[in-house]
Amino acid sequence: MEQGIQQPKKKLSDNVKSIFFLFPSWILLLIFFIGPMILTVIFSFSNLALTGTNASQFQFIGFDNFVQMFQDPNFRISIWNTIVFVFFSAVIGQCFLGFLIAFLMREKNTAFRRVIGLIIIAAWVTPEVVVSFCWVAFLGETGTANWLLGLLNIEPIAWLFTFPMISVIIANVWRGTAFSMMVFQSALDDIPKEVEEAAVMDGASRWQIVTKITIPMVKGTIATNLMLVTLQTLGVFTLIYTMTGGGPGVSTATLPVFMYQQAFVSYQLGYGTAISLVLLAIGAIASLIYMKTLKVKV
């Protein structure tokens, strides 16, 4: 009877200790995550600005920022630029290429995998701004790309002005593919070889093994990687802004670049935070589509 009375007290004491030790984490979470999220929502419905009359006359303006946003042709262009950049850079580029490299290296010896892996990972660990300057130099008028074209007697091309979106997509794929490669490499190594060997003995072709066994067994990894790479690519700013500044014109102005221009170049912070909410919504919708399409529960 005495033990039954002491046990709830002990459990209560453990809960109090847990709350005490987690309290600093909650404070940090509130300050650096929940607080900014709440302020972002509040500011998106306001006329917050850094200069002009709005800077001294803060007020809530309802959905005016969102109405202005969807009436702005540059915003619609940035939406399209974002979709193109994410689809070709994240889905087609990083995810597909990362899977292909991981699959091709699967049967190779350890030394070969380490050498190729280090070469690819070197681009990933390089700071984004450094990667941007490397590609600006590579695609410049006197860069390596035009030097190679000169060897073929082809006139130099102003890559960053003639093909700006293709240029930033290639640069981002070059930098980010290593992450997908490592994720898929780990997942493919976990597939039991006995399963594929049994399929070969049953007369399955190489294509059938890949489509009917390999891909279904790493479906969860594919969904997770797609979500992570998509969300990361949605937030790419430094690479695009350093290479093209969102131009020429607005031809490479994705939502993060457009948001920066409105918030910190035009000083319309309220309008900029409203754009950030749209960016957040696009990321959430993309994640739901991946989970629904691949039928994966996260």
Side-chain angles (χ1 to χ4, degrees):
M1 189 75 178
E2 194 174 329
Q3 292 179 350
I5 296 173
Q6 290 178 352
Q7 190 171 2
K9 290 183 179 180
K10 185 177 180 181
K11 186 179 291 186
L12 180 62
S13 177
D14 290 342
N15 291 336
V16 172
K17 289 180 180 178
S18 300
I19 293 172
F20 176 77
F21 284 115
L22 288 173
F23 187 73
S25 301
W26 291 350
I27 296 297
L28 292 174
L29 191 65
L30 179 64
I31 295 173
F32 296 105
F33 184 72
I34 298 175
M37 284 186 63
I38 294 173
L39 287 176
T40 298
V41 174
I42 293 173
F43 291 156
S44 66
F45 293 96
S46 72
N47 67 340
L48 183 66
L50 293 177
T51 60
T53 57
N54 290 339
S56 58
Q57 298 177 3
F58 176 84
Q59 60 182 352
F60 289 100
I61 57 175
F63 291 93
D64 288 359
N65 284 328
F66 296 93
V67 172
Q68 177 186 349
M69 185 193 310
F70 288 102
Q71 290 177 346
D72 188 349
N74 288 336
F75 172 75
R76 294 193 291 270
I77 292 172
S78 69
I79 288 282
W80 174 250
N81 289 340
T82 303
I83 294 171
V84 171
F85 180 71
V86 170
F87 181 76
F88 288 101
S89 177
V91 181
I92 300 298
Q94 296 179 47
C95 194
F96 177 78
L97 189 59
F99 181 86
L100 181 62
I101 294 172
F103 183 79
L104 292 176
M105 291 203 304
R106 190 181 179 198
E107 305 297 332
K108 302 297 185 291
N109 60 61
T110 305
F112 180 84
R113 291 178 62 173
R114 285 178 179 174
V115 172
I116 298 300
L118 285 173
I119 293 173
I120 297 173
I121 292 172
W124 184 51
V125 299
T126 303
E128 196 171 13
V129 67
V130 176
V131 171
S132 305
F133 283 121
C134 287
W135 276 94
V136 168
F138 180 79
L139 299 173
E141 291 184 12
T142 58
T144 308
N146 282 327
W147 177 76
L148 293 173
L149 291 179
L151 296 177
L152 301 173
N153 293 321
I154 300 175
E155 290 294 323
I157 299 173
W159 296 97
L160 296 176
F161 292 93
T162 308
F163 305 107
M165 182 58 76
I166 294 175
S167 298
V168 295
I169 287 173
I170 292 174
N172 194 55
V173 170
W174 181 81
R175 180 178 185 270
T177 299
F179 176 80
S180 296
M181 181 201 72
M182 291 188 294
V183 170
F184 288 129
Q185 201 170 57
S186 177
L188 291 172
D189 288 343
D190 289 338
I191 297 176
K193 292 184 178 180
E194 295 80 8
V195 177
E196 295 182 348
E197 290 173 355
V200 172
M201 293 179 65
D202 290 337
S205 65
R206 188 66 174 170
W207 177 252
Q208 288 174 325
I209 293 174
V210 173
T211 56
K212 303 296 183 182
I213 296 176
T214 305
I215 293 179
M217 292 190 74
V218 298
K219 186 173 64 174
T221 303
I222 292 173
T224 303
N225 184 71
L226 273 171
M227 282 189 287
L228 292 175
V229 172
T230 296
L231 294 175
Q232 186 274 330
T233 306
L234 274 172
V236 170
F237 168 79
T238 304
L239 185 139
I240 297 175
Y241 198 78
T242 304
M243 288 183 67
T244 64
V250 292
S251 57
T252 56
T254 56
L255 279 174
V257 175
F258 183 68
M259 176 179 64
Y260 173 84
Q261 291 172 340
Q262 299 303 314
F264 299 106
V265 177
S266 299
Y267 304 117
Q268 302 300 314
L269 291 181
Y271 189 39
T273 53
I275 297 170
S276 71
L277 289 184
V278 175
L279 186 63
L280 178 65
I282 291 174
I285 292 170
S287 299
L288 291 173
I289 291 173
Y290 289 144
M291 287 189 290
K292 186 72 175 178
T293 303
L294 296 172
K295 298 179 180 179
V296 173
K297 294 181 179 179
V298 180

